[in-house]
Amino acid sequence: MEYEIPKLKLLLESDHFRTRTAMYIGEKKLSTLKGFFEGIYYVFDAYGIKEENVFEGMHDWTADYYGWTESTAGWKNIILKECGNNELKAVDEFFKVYDEFKKTSG
């Protein structure tokens, strides 16, 4: 399958998005950030935009990273739980986890 420029990956890895997340999504909360990603992938699908799923395998990887025995909660809920349900802290933790995930998963 041929992909276009990885738009979401560029956004995720930009310093501006990371430091000013609330400007892009309305508030700095991991739950809102996850919804933002889901919306982006919906648009990609609805308009036939070919974009690799940058989160492919992240549920299992995040569970392993934190020593969870299963990944059914999903990366968002795992990170949020590990941050004591602190949505603000969980956004910063997400970017750390995402960076580690990308280093080890290619």
Side-chain angles (χ1 to χ4, degrees):
M1 177 178 274
E2 198 171 312
Y3 294 108
E4 296 180 13
I5 297 171
K7 297 162 193 68
L8 182 56
K9 186 174 186 228
L10 291 174
L11 181 65
L12 270 171
E13 294 176 3
S14 76
D15 288 334
H16 197 262
F17 181 73
R18 290 173 177 223
T19 58
R20 310 228 23 220
T21 306
M23 184 182 84
Y24 287 87
I25 67 172
E27 59 187 351
K28 189 175 178 180
K29 289 185 174 181
L30 187 60
S31 297
T32 304
L33 185 61
K34 176 72 160 74
F36 176 76
F37 297 148
E38 289 171 353
I40 287 174
Y41 278 112
Y42 172 80
V43 170
F44 288 161
D45 186 54
Y47 289 95
I49 299 169
K50 294 179 181 6
E51 174 95 0
E52 71 175 302
N53 183 347
V54 298
F55 302 112
E56 186 73 36
M58 192 164 163
H59 294 308
D60 291 335
W61 188 93
T62 303
D64 289 342
Y65 180 78
Y66 287 110
W68 287 42
T69 57
E70 59 181 58
S71 64
T72 54
W75 61 258
K76 190 246 332 166
N77 291 321
I78 294 169
I79 293 170
L80 194 55
K81 182 75 170 176
E82 291 293 325
C83 290
N85 292 318
N86 181 325
E87 291 269 2
L88 185 67
K89 180 180 175 185
V91 171
D92 295 329
E93 184 69 9
F94 162 77
F95 288 119
K96 290 177 195 171
V97 169
Y98 173 79
D99 289 343
E100 287 299 314
F101 167 68
K102 292 320 271 181
K103 278 187 215 173
T104 59
S105 66

